[in-house]
Amino acid sequence: MSDSMASTGAKSEPKIDAKPDGGIITAAVLVIGDEILSGRTKDKNIGYIAEYLTGIGIDLKEVRVVPDEEPEIVAAVNALRARYTYLFTTGGIGPTHDDITADCVAKAFGLPLQYHPRAVEIMQARVALTGGVMNEARMRMTRVPAGGKLVLNKISGAPGFRIGNVIVMAGIPSVMQAMLDYVTPQLKTGARMLSETIRADSREGDIGTELGEIARQHPDVVIGSYPFQDENNTANTNVVVRSRDAQKLAAAKAAVEAMLVRVKAELAKA
Protein backbone atom coordinates (compact mmCIF):
# COMPACT_ATOMS: atom_id res chain seq x y z
CA MET A 1 0.00 0.00 0.00
CA SER A 2 1.06 3.59 -0.47
CA ASP A 3 2.24 5.36 2.67
CA SER A 4 2.25 8.92 1.32
CA MET A 5 -0.05 10.26 4.02
CA ALA A 6 2.82 11.42 6.22
CA SER A 7 4.28 14.89 6.36
CA THR A 8 6.17 16.05 3.29
CA GLY A 9 9.08 17.38 5.33
CA ALA A 10 11.43 20.06 4.11
CA LYS A 11 12.05 20.20 0.41
CA SER A 12 15.62 19.26 -0.44
CA GLU A 13 17.71 20.40 -3.36
CA PRO A 14 18.83 17.80 -5.91
CA LYS A 15 22.38 16.61 -5.28
CA ILE A 16 24.19 16.13 -8.58
CA ASP A 17 27.81 15.03 -8.70
CA ALA A 18 28.12 14.41 -12.43
CA LYS A 19 27.66 16.68 -15.42
CA PRO A 20 24.60 16.09 -17.63
CA ASP A 21 25.04 13.47 -20.32
CA GLY A 22 23.08 15.52 -22.81
CA GLY A 23 20.21 14.32 -24.97
CA ILE A 24 16.72 13.67 -23.68
CA ILE A 25 16.28 11.43 -20.64
CA THR A 26 12.72 10.36 -19.82
CA ALA A 27 10.94 8.93 -16.81
CA ALA A 28 7.62 7.69 -15.52
CA VAL A 29 6.22 7.52 -12.00
CA LEU A 30 4.13 4.59 -10.80
CA VAL A 31 2.12 5.34 -7.65
CA ILE A 32 1.01 2.16 -5.89
CA GLY A 33 -1.77 2.08 -3.33
CA ASP A 34 -5.46 1.39 -2.87
CA GLU A 35 -5.81 4.37 -0.55
CA ILE A 36 -4.65 6.79 -3.27
CA LEU A 37 -7.37 5.50 -5.58
CA SER A 38 -10.02 5.58 -2.85
CA GLY A 39 -9.18 9.18 -1.98
CA ARG A 40 -8.41 8.41 1.65
CA THR A 41 -4.79 9.43 1.09
CA LYS A 42 -3.88 12.45 -1.04
CA ASP A 43 -0.70 11.92 -3.02
CA LYS A 44 2.05 14.40 -2.14
CA ASN A 45 4.83 12.89 -4.21
CA ILE A 46 3.95 13.37 -7.88
CA GLY A 47 4.38 17.15 -7.95
CA TYR A 48 7.60 16.96 -5.98
CA ILE A 49 9.11 14.31 -8.25
CA ALA A 50 8.03 16.18 -11.40
CA GLU A 51 9.67 19.41 -10.26
CA TYR A 52 12.75 17.59 -9.01
CA LEU A 53 13.29 15.66 -12.26
CA THR A 54 12.75 18.76 -14.39
CA GLY A 55 15.42 20.50 -12.33
CA ILE A 56 18.02 17.84 -13.05
CA GLY A 57 17.26 17.38 -16.75
CA ILE A 58 14.92 14.37 -16.77
CA ASP A 59 11.57 14.69 -18.54
CA LEU A 60 8.68 13.15 -16.63
CA LYS A 61 6.43 11.79 -19.37
CA GLU A 62 3.82 9.70 -17.62
CA VAL A 63 2.28 9.03 -14.21
CA ARG A 64 0.12 6.02 -13.38
CA VAL A 65 -1.72 5.07 -10.21
CA VAL A 66 -2.46 1.39 -9.63
CA PRO A 67 -4.05 -0.58 -6.79
CA ASP A 68 -2.33 -3.06 -4.48
CA GLU A 69 -2.97 -5.86 -6.96
CA GLU A 70 -0.14 -7.97 -8.33
CA PRO A 71 -1.28 -8.24 -11.98
CA GLU A 72 -1.81 -4.48 -12.22
CA ILE A 73 1.56 -3.64 -10.68
CA VAL A 74 3.52 -6.18 -12.73
CA ALA A 75 1.90 -5.06 -15.99
CA ALA A 76 2.52 -1.38 -15.25
CA VAL A 77 6.16 -1.96 -14.27
CA ASN A 78 6.87 -3.89 -17.46
CA ALA A 79 5.10 -1.38 -19.69
CA LEU A 80 6.70 1.73 -18.20
CA ARG A 81 10.25 0.43 -17.78
CA ALA A 82 10.27 -0.52 -21.46
CA ARG A 83 9.03 2.88 -22.58
CA TYR A 84 11.17 5.30 -20.58
CA THR A 85 14.75 5.74 -19.42
CA TYR A 86 13.72 5.42 -15.77
CA LEU A 87 10.70 4.27 -13.81
CA PHE A 88 10.23 5.55 -10.27
CA THR A 89 7.72 3.75 -8.04
CA THR A 90 6.32 5.03 -4.75
CA GLY A 91 4.51 3.09 -2.06
CA GLY A 92 4.09 -0.52 -1.07
CA ILE A 93 7.48 -1.34 0.49
CA GLY A 94 6.42 -1.30 4.14
CA PRO A 95 6.08 -4.20 6.62
CA THR A 96 2.46 -5.26 6.10
CA HIS A 97 0.84 -8.01 4.02
CA ASP A 98 -0.42 -5.60 1.36
CA ASP A 99 3.02 -4.06 0.77
CA ILE A 100 3.72 -6.12 -2.34
CA THR A 101 5.76 -3.79 -4.53
CA ALA A 102 9.03 -5.71 -4.03
CA ASP A 103 7.29 -8.98 -4.87
CA CYS A 104 5.76 -7.50 -8.02
CA VAL A 105 8.95 -5.87 -9.28
CA ALA A 106 10.81 -9.15 -8.78
CA LYS A 107 8.11 -10.95 -10.76
CA ALA A 108 8.23 -8.33 -13.52
CA PHE A 109 11.97 -8.97 -13.93
CA GLY A 110 11.64 -12.74 -13.49
CA LEU A 111 13.98 -12.67 -10.50
CA PRO A 112 13.86 -14.27 -7.06
CA LEU A 113 13.25 -12.04 -4.06
CA GLN A 114 16.02 -12.30 -1.46
CA TYR A 115 16.89 -10.84 1.92
CA HIS A 116 19.64 -8.31 1.22
CA PRO A 117 22.43 -8.69 3.81
CA ARG A 118 23.14 -4.98 4.03
CA ALA A 119 19.44 -4.17 4.34
CA VAL A 120 19.17 -6.66 7.21
CA GLU A 121 22.11 -5.00 8.95
CA ILE A 122 20.53 -1.56 8.52
CA MET A 123 17.21 -2.69 9.92
CA GLN A 124 18.83 -4.52 12.84
CA ALA A 125 20.76 -1.38 13.73
CA ARG A 126 17.61 0.70 13.45
CA VAL A 127 15.65 -1.66 15.71
CA ALA A 128 18.47 -1.69 18.26
CA LEU A 129 18.42 2.11 18.30
CA THR A 130 14.67 2.64 18.41
CA GLY A 131 13.52 -0.45 20.31
CA GLY A 132 11.43 -3.41 19.22
CA VAL A 133 12.37 -6.75 17.72
CA MET A 134 13.55 -7.80 14.28
CA ASN A 135 10.37 -9.71 13.47
CA GLU A 136 8.96 -11.11 10.25
CA ALA A 137 7.20 -7.84 9.39
CA ARG A 138 10.42 -5.83 9.58
CA MET A 139 12.30 -8.52 7.65
CA ARG A 140 9.86 -7.96 4.78
CA MET A 141 11.44 -4.55 4.29
CA THR A 142 14.87 -6.10 3.63
CA ARG A 143 13.74 -8.10 0.58
CA VAL A 144 15.25 -7.11 -2.77
CA PRO A 145 15.16 -8.78 -6.21
CA ALA A 146 18.39 -10.70 -6.84
CA GLY A 147 21.06 -8.30 -8.10
CA GLY A 148 19.22 -5.21 -6.92
CA LYS A 149 21.06 -2.32 -5.32
CA LEU A 150 19.86 -0.55 -2.21
CA VAL A 151 18.48 2.99 -2.27
CA LEU A 152 19.27 4.30 1.19
CA ASN A 153 17.58 7.02 3.17
CA LYS A 154 18.57 8.90 6.31
CA ILE A 155 15.03 9.26 7.61
CA SER A 156 13.65 5.81 8.38
CA GLY A 157 16.55 3.44 7.74
CA ALA A 158 14.43 0.99 5.71
CA PRO A 159 15.90 1.09 2.18
CA GLY A 160 14.32 1.11 -1.22
CA PHE A 161 16.09 -0.54 -4.12
CA ARG A 162 17.03 -0.21 -7.75
CA ILE A 163 16.93 -3.00 -10.31
CA GLY A 164 17.69 -2.18 -13.94
CA ASN A 165 16.07 1.16 -14.72
CA VAL A 166 13.43 0.82 -11.98
CA ILE A 167 13.88 2.79 -8.76
CA VAL A 168 11.59 1.60 -5.96
CA MET A 169 10.93 4.17 -3.24
CA ALA A 170 8.75 4.62 -0.18
CA GLY A 171 5.44 6.46 -0.26
CA ILE A 172 6.11 8.57 2.85
CA PRO A 173 7.09 11.93 1.30
CA SER A 174 10.08 12.71 3.53
CA VAL A 175 11.50 9.21 3.04
CA MET A 176 10.85 9.28 -0.70
CA GLN A 177 12.65 12.61 -0.96
CA ALA A 178 15.68 11.25 0.88
CA MET A 179 15.75 8.24 -1.46
CA LEU A 180 15.53 10.50 -4.49
CA ASP A 181 18.47 12.53 -3.19
CA TYR A 182 20.45 9.32 -2.69
CA VAL A 183 19.86 7.87 -6.15
CA THR A 184 20.18 11.09 -8.19
CA PRO A 185 24.00 11.02 -8.57
CA GLN A 186 23.66 7.55 -10.15
CA LEU A 187 21.28 8.71 -12.88
CA LYS A 188 21.91 9.91 -16.40
CA THR A 189 20.58 13.42 -16.90
CA GLY A 190 19.90 15.37 -20.06
CA ALA A 191 20.04 19.00 -21.04
CA ARG A 192 17.86 20.95 -18.66
CA MET A 193 14.62 22.50 -19.82
CA LEU A 194 14.71 26.29 -19.54
CA SER A 195 11.53 28.19 -18.81
CA GLU A 196 10.23 31.76 -18.89
CA THR A 197 6.84 33.01 -17.70
CA ILE A 198 5.24 36.10 -19.24
CA ARG A 199 2.24 37.71 -17.55
CA ALA A 200 -0.11 38.53 -20.40
CA ASP A 201 -2.51 40.92 -18.62
CA SER A 202 -5.00 39.63 -21.19
CA ARG A 203 -7.66 36.96 -21.22
CA GLU A 204 -6.69 33.65 -22.73
CA GLY A 205 -9.35 33.96 -25.43
CA ASP A 206 -7.91 37.30 -26.56
CA ILE A 207 -4.49 35.85 -27.35
CA GLY A 208 -5.21 32.22 -28.23
CA THR A 209 -5.09 32.58 -32.03
CA GLU A 210 -1.92 34.68 -32.03
CA LEU A 211 -0.26 32.35 -29.52
CA GLY A 212 -0.95 29.40 -31.77
CA GLU A 213 0.73 31.18 -34.68
CA ILE A 214 3.82 31.88 -32.56
CA ALA A 215 3.94 28.22 -31.56
CA ARG A 216 3.92 27.22 -35.24
CA GLN A 217 6.75 29.66 -35.93
CA HIS A 218 8.84 28.30 -33.05
CA PRO A 219 8.49 24.50 -33.27
CA ASP A 220 11.41 23.83 -30.92
CA VAL A 221 9.81 25.79 -28.09
CA VAL A 222 6.94 24.53 -25.95
CA ILE A 223 4.41 27.31 -25.41
CA GLY A 224 1.53 27.02 -22.96
CA SER A 225 -1.10 29.41 -21.62
CA TYR A 226 -2.48 29.21 -18.09
CA PRO A 227 -5.48 31.33 -17.09
CA PHE A 228 -5.86 32.64 -13.55
CA GLN A 229 -7.72 35.27 -11.55
CA ASP A 230 -5.35 38.09 -10.68
CA GLU A 231 -5.21 40.31 -7.60
CA ASN A 232 -8.01 42.47 -9.04
CA ASN A 233 -10.21 39.40 -9.54
CA THR A 234 -9.81 39.87 -13.27
CA ALA A 235 -9.34 37.07 -15.77
CA ASN A 236 -5.65 36.96 -16.68
CA THR A 237 -3.18 34.61 -18.33
CA ASN A 238 0.38 33.47 -17.81
CA VAL A 239 2.21 32.39 -20.95
CA VAL A 240 5.01 29.91 -20.31
CA VAL A 241 7.71 29.22 -22.91
CA ARG A 242 10.07 26.27 -22.47
CA SER A 243 13.09 25.10 -24.44
CA ARG A 244 16.49 23.51 -23.95
CA ASP A 245 18.02 26.12 -26.27
CA ALA A 246 18.50 29.52 -24.62
CA GLN A 247 18.50 31.45 -27.92
CA LYS A 248 15.34 29.79 -29.20
CA LEU A 249 13.70 30.42 -25.85
CA ALA A 250 14.65 34.11 -25.98
CA ALA A 251 13.32 34.45 -29.54
CA ALA A 252 9.98 32.89 -28.63
CA LYS A 253 9.67 35.03 -25.51
CA ALA A 254 10.32 38.18 -27.55
CA ALA A 255 7.68 37.12 -30.07
CA VAL A 256 5.12 36.58 -27.30
CA GLU A 257 5.90 39.95 -25.71
CA ALA A 258 5.59 41.75 -29.05
CA MET A 259 2.30 39.98 -29.75
CA LEU A 260 0.90 41.03 -26.38
CA VAL A 261 1.69 44.67 -27.11
CA ARG A 262 -0.13 44.43 -30.46
CA VAL A 263 -3.18 42.67 -29.03
CA LYS A 264 -3.55 45.16 -26.20
CA ALA A 265 -3.31 48.07 -28.63
CA GLU A 266 -5.97 46.51 -30.88
CA LEU A 267 -8.29 45.85 -27.92
CA ALA A 268 -7.85 49.45 -26.74
CA LYS A 269 -9.07 50.69 -30.13
CA ALA A 270 -12.11 48.43 -30.15
Side-chain angles (χ1 to χ4, degrees):
M1 67 178 174
S2 170
D3 39 7
S4 61
M5 68 190 75
S7 169
T8 57
K11 181 176 177 181
S12 53
E13 292 297 323
K15 297 176 178 126
I16 307 170
D17 295 334
K19 293 182 179 179
D21 297 290
I24 298 176
I25 308 298
T26 60
V29 171
L30 180 62
V31 180
I32 300 167
D34 290 337
E35 59 267 46
I36 297 293
L37 290 167
S38 71
R40 187 178 72 83
T41 298
K42 305 299 186 290
D43 180 86
K44 297 174 182 172
N45 291 325
I46 294 172
Y48 183 93
I49 295 172
E51 184 177 359
Y52 189 109
L53 295 181
T54 297
I56 64 173
I58 296 177
D59 288 1
L60 180 60
K61 292 293 189 179
E62 185 173 347
V63 175
R64 291 193 194 182
V65 184
V66 296
D68 296 311
E69 298 174 10
E70 182 181 284
E72 298 293 334
I73 299 171
V74 171
V77 168
N78 279 331
L80 296 172
R81 73 186 178 97
R83 190 172 300 160
Y84 304 109
T85 312
Y86 296 112
L87 168 60
F88 297 86
T89 78
T90 66
I93 59 172
T96 60
H97 70 283
D98 55 348
D99 287 310
I100 59 172
T101 299
D103 307 75
C104 295
V105 172
K107 185 169 184 177
F109 278 85
L111 295 170
L113 199 58
Q114 302 174 339
Y115 294 114
H116 193 290
R118 177 60 181 143
V120 173
E121 290 177 1
I122 292 169
M123 288 302 297
Q124 287 175 334
R126 180 76 175 181
V127 169
L129 182 65
T130 60
V133 295
M134 192 64 184
N135 56 19
E136 181 180 349
R138 291 189 174 95
M139 283 294 293
R140 283 179 60 83
M141 294 189 287
T142 71
R143 300 173 307 145
V144 174
K149 298 180 180 179
L150 298 185
V151 176
L152 305 181
N153 82 87
K154 59 188 178 182
I155 305 297
S156 71
F161 62 86
R162 176 182 177 182
I163 183 76
N165 66 336
V166 179
I167 297 99
V168 177
M169 305 184 295
I172 298 173
S174 60
V175 178
M176 182 282 298
Q177 292 167 21
M179 290 180 173
L180 202 53
D181 283 341
Y182 178 86
V183 80
T184 292
Q186 306 169 30
L187 304 178
K188 294 187 295 182
T189 57
R192 299 190 189 188
M193 184 70 77
L194 307 174
S195 177
E196 291 281 359
T197 299
I198 305 114
R199 176 170 166 144
D201 286 325
S202 299
R203 293 172 297 182
E204 192 175 36
D206 292 333
I207 62 173
T209 301
E210 292 80 1
L211 205 58
E213 181 58 33
I214 293 173
R216 286 188 288 273
Q217 294 171 359
H218 298 266
D220 296 326
V221 179
V222 179
I223 301 176
S225 63
Y226 305 93
F228 68 98
Q229 292 293 118
D230 64 20
E231 59 275 7
N232 298 316
N233 201 33
T234 301
N236 208 326
T237 311
N238 280 327
V239 177
V240 179
V241 291
R242 302 170 69 234
S243 176
R244 289 184 167 82
D245 186 298
Q247 291 185 334
K248 291 178 179 179
L249 180 72
K253 180 184 178 185
V256 170
E257 291 172 335
M259 176 272 290
L260 291 173
V261 171
R262 291 195 306 272
V263 168
K264 290 173 188 175
E266 291 168 2
L267 289 173
K269 294 177 183 178

